[in-house]
Amino acid sequence: MFSLIESFYILLLAGFVGFEVIKRVTPTLHTPLMSATNAISGISLVGSLVAAGSDQFVSQMLGLVAVTAATINVVGGFLITERMLKMFKRKERKQQ
Amino acid sequence: MTNYLLEITYIISSVLFILGLKGLSHPESARRGMHLAEIGMLLAVIGTLLGQGIVTWEWILIGLVVGSAIGTAMSIFMPMTAMPQRIALSHAFGALAAVLVGINEFIVKGHEITSGLMGALGFEVLFGSLTVTGSLMAFGKLQGIVKSAPMTYKGQNFVNILLFFITVGMFMYLVFFPQNILIFGTMIALSFLIGIFIVLPIGGADMPVVLSLMNSYAGLAAAATGFAINNKVLIIAGSLDGSSGFILSIIMSKAMNRSFANILFGAVGTPQVDTSSLHEDRPITRFNVEDAKFALEQAERVVIVPGYGMAVAQAQYAVRELSDELEKRGIKVEFAIHPVAGRMPGHMNVLLAEANVSYDQLLEMEIINPTMDTVDVAIVIGANDVVNPAARTDKGSPIYGMPIIDVDKAKTVIVMKRSMATGFAGIENPLFYEENTKMLFGDAKKVLQELVAEFKKN
């Protein structure tokens, strides 16, 4: 099941894609970028779910804490990113 | 669900993550992008729940419910001013999940652990655990629980380097003898320590770099998790996060004139500089609120340069009111944002956007600098080192070479400051003694409110 080389290919290519995409992120949105990537890195949730859903007690407990922590990141991260992005408005919508 | 279906779900998730981040290239497309990323996350979770041979559900449910409740509460009740702390805290959570998954993998695989798997697990728990404690330390400093001033002691570098090599040594031992649980545990404990130690000597103004670095490390931990449990979506999402933190770290280090190597290894501690070398004897010119109003009324173009002091004084709303008053009089108002102004990347932008400043008024340093000599009045609010012309002219200055916003080139500079105290780095600022610089002392928020009231009189 363990395919090191294949994983390295993916790591490198995804890294390059990430670099090119994120280079173009406007500096105005650097804080939302941080909280968005934070939410996305909550993808550890996937691994945590597998652990929490196994049939071994130790894994379940480690998984429980991991699922909680990762969910805080995913849910909180996306919500706060949206809250921030909602604030970035252009003049015409501004009052006065 | 068959394995293929699961893999396809993960591929779609990965694409949605990339498209989501691509949306952040412009405020218009950003929210739609985030929706895509959210769908991606939902797909990955549903796919995992259905396709990864899950047999017990109660712990998953509890974790999801508790996590969602805490996450939602945090994002609703946390004020925008606490955003740097929240970001720091969430890095800790993400990394904690990665560490726990790694420990679980170590226990479950037991005697089947190969050198290759150990390599992945090692990176996962190393990056993960130093991110957990490093981010918690950053959180403590930002929240004021831990003293935010740099904490240094004799031989600090030696201790850190020694710790680093011992940990790396243990890691290498484990790659050859993967089943040694004692070494594995000690290695994790040591990297928790390293996390604390590398943030100890870092002061408040360097927090943007720390947060970027932790962002990157948290991503690398997630990517390593993907290696360990052979899950491609984890590798992809992790490397996106990693490269994001990497790019932000580069931007921040350039803006602070630090070498990237210096920052990459966490040796970010500011050298506490000798301030006696440069002492100004020239007189300063003071302004009161009426003088400021008079100068502003005559202006055609005004540039406002906010710094951390604006955040501390909670002056962003008053700033926006002033900008409204000026615009009502047909004066062009722009905001010049230095990349490291504040405590996290983009800090000033978020605060000003919250106060309803239009995002097309928020300009980067590189864009505003070439036109600075056509600016009639530049208002510096709670910023110091990022407008210090010594960075351009004084080779002996510790910030020499650091890119600054060239406010001194504006026809008039109004500096709002509480007192003549030096900035974070403790460096004298010759800007304050220039002929075209006018000092307006007082609490930024109070002074701005008085200024706005003055404008509203007529």
Side-chain angles (χ1 to χ4, degrees):
Chain A
M1 276 301 279
F2 188 70
S3 48
L4 198 59
I5 295 300
E6 202 184 308
S7 297
F8 264 115
Y9 271 111
I10 294 170
L11 178 78
L12 279 179
L13 294 178
F16 273 111
V17 171
F19 195 84
E20 289 304 317
V21 168
I22 286 152
K23 222 171 58 183
R24 287 175 177 73
V25 171
T26 163
T28 313
L29 296 182
H30 272 166
T31 303
L33 168 69
M34 279 197 120
S35 67
T37 50
N38 231 306
I40 290 174
S41 81
I43 189 72
S44 313
L45 181 55
V46 165
S48 318
L49 288 173
V50 177
S54 74
D55 50 6
Q56 284 173 348
F57 186 69
V58 179
S59 301
Q60 288 171 352
M61 286 305 105
L62 289 171
L64 170 66
V65 181
V67 169
T68 312
T71 311
I72 293 175
N73 246 16
V74 171
V75 175
F78 277 126
L79 282 178
I80 206 131
T81 309
E82 292 239 4
R83 197 178 134 200
M84 270 192 275
L85 290 176
K86 257 188 226 160
M87 303 186 319
F88 284 89
K89 280 177 263 173
R90 249 170 107 85
K91 185 122 275 167
E92 48 264 28
R93 265 189 274 160
K94 217 166 86 174
Q95 280 125 36
Q96 281 157 11
Chain B
M1 204 189 266
T2 68
N3 219 355
Y4 276 116
L5 209 51
L6 180 63
E7 289 298 331
I8 290 169
T9 313
Y10 283 160
I11 291 173
I12 297 173
S13 294
S14 309
V15 173
L16 288 174
F17 288 153
I18 294 169
L19 291 177
L21 291 177
K22 199 161 168 276
L24 288 174
S25 57
H26 196 277
E28 291 292 315
S29 54
R31 286 184 68 195
R32 207 196 36 183
M34 274 310 101
H35 294 150
L36 292 178
E38 285 156 23
I39 296 170
M41 186 58 77
L42 193 65
L43 280 177
V45 170
I46 294 175
T48 307
L49 289 178
L50 298 181
Q52 288 273 32
I54 298 225
V55 288
T56 39
W57 294 89
E58 58 264 42
W59 304 117
I60 291 181
L61 255 166
I62 295 174
L64 286 177
V65 170
V66 173
S68 305
I70 298 176
T72 312
M74 270 174 70
S75 58
I76 293 176
F77 298 115
M78 184 120 358
M80 277 301 149
T81 40
M83 193 55 69
Q85 292 92 304
R86 202 218 75 96
I87 299 260
L89 203 56
S90 60
H91 287 147
F93 284 133
L96 179 65
V99 175
L100 293 174
V101 172
I103 294 176
N104 177 55
E105 195 69 8
F106 183 84
I107 296 171
V108 172
K109 286 280 159 67
H111 293 290
E112 295 161 37
I113 297 180
T114 59
S115 294
L117 176 59
M118 192 59 230
L121 278 180
F123 273 114
E124 180 183 344
V125 296
L126 279 180
F127 277 117
S129 31
L130 78 86
T131 307
V132 172
T133 47
S135 301
L136 286 177
M137 276 296 290
F139 169 78
K141 287 197 168 201
L142 288 163
Q143 185 72 37
I145 303 169
V146 184
K147 207 166 57 122
S148 110
M151 276 177 251
T152 48
Y153 56 89
K154 221 173 157 235
Q156 188 166 28
N157 278 339
F158 177 74
V159 172
N160 286 355
I161 290 169
L162 189 70
L163 256 183
F164 176 77
F165 277 110
I166 293 175
T167 315
V168 171
M170 287 183 165
F171 182 23
M172 279 157 69
Y173 175 85
L174 280 170
V175 170
F176 293 107
F177 307 98
Q179 274 105 35
N180 194 325
I181 190 158
L182 190 69
I183 299 279
F184 188 72
T186 317
M187 185 179 81
I188 294 175
L190 283 182
S191 26
F192 276 131
L193 264 184
I194 292 178
I196 297 176
F197 284 2
I198 56 175
V199 183
L200 263 184
I202 297 171
D206 283 336
M207 279 304 156
V209 184
V210 178
L211 293 186
S212 310
L213 260 184
M214 292 300 163
N215 189 3
S216 186
Y217 289 167
L220 290 175
T225 312
F227 272 70
I229 63 175
N230 194 27
N231 187 321
K232 310 292 186 262
V233 71
L234 268 165
I235 301 179
I236 294 171
S239 17
L240 291 176
D241 195 18
S243 40
S244 158
F246 182 67
I247 292 176
L248 288 175
S249 309
I250 293 179
I251 296 174
M252 294 303 124
S253 58
K254 271 193 189 148
M256 294 183 131
N257 197 30
R258 296 259 182 74
S259 81
F260 187 67
N262 178 308
I263 283 167
L264 193 65
F265 298 103
V268 213
T270 323
Q272 283 306 291
V273 287
D274 156 42
T275 56
S276 57
S277 60
L278 197 139
H279 200 78
E280 293 274 356
D281 291 322
R282 286 185 284 168
I284 57 161
T285 324
R286 277 179 179 247
F287 249 19
N288 60 27
V289 172
E290 287 84 36
D291 299 332
K293 186 206 171 204
F294 185 74
L296 285 168
E297 270 178 336
Q298 311 297 315
E300 280 175 28
R301 186 173 173 223
V302 171
V303 166
I304 299 174
V305 184
Y308 184 58
M310 181 191 80
V312 174
Q314 296 277 317
Q316 64 271 28
Y317 288 93
V319 169
R320 202 264 326 211
E321 279 184 56
L322 175 67
S323 140
D324 285 348
E325 286 299 325
L326 294 174
E327 287 192 316
K328 258 192 238 166
R329 287 161 175 77
I331 302 163
K332 189 178 178 198
V333 183
E334 287 153 326
F335 292 82
I337 314 284
H338 193 279
V340 291
R343 290 293 183 262
M344 66 181 167
H347 195 178
M348 294 298 123
N349 295 294
V350 170
L351 289 180
L352 290 169
E354 188 197 13
N356 253 326
V357 172
S358 173
Y359 64 74
D360 48 9
Q361 278 176 290
L362 306 172
L363 299 179
E364 294 154 52
M365 172 173 67
E366 293 86 17
I367 293 173
I368 207 115
N369 265 349
T371 66
M372 212 61 199
D373 46 2
T374 69
V375 172
D376 298 303
V377 181
I379 312 177
V380 179
I381 303 171
N384 191 346
D385 295 334
V386 297
V387 293
N388 190 341
R392 249 188 0 242
T393 53
D394 179 8
K395 280 211 168 105
S397 172
I399 56 167
Y400 180 71
M402 175 175 143
I404 58 154
I405 298 177
D406 299 329
V407 285
D408 53 318
K409 291 184 179 161
K411 294 189 187 90
T412 306
V413 188
I414 300 176
V415 178
M416 290 186 189
K417 227 174 152 326
R418 260 197 300 240
S419 66
M420 280 304 283
T422 49
F424 166 77
I427 306 158
E428 185 82 58
N429 193 339
L431 172 74
F432 304 155
Y433 306 91
E434 296 288 334
E435 247 171 70
N436 57 341
T437 302
K438 320 289 173 194
M439 304 300 293
L440 184 47
F441 291 114
D443 173 70
K445 188 175 170 184
K446 226 177 115 243
V447 169
L448 282 162
Q449 281 168 343
E450 282 168 18
L451 193 53
V452 170
E454 204 53 45
F455 270 106
K456 281 195 170 146
K457 271 187 197 162
N458 41 46

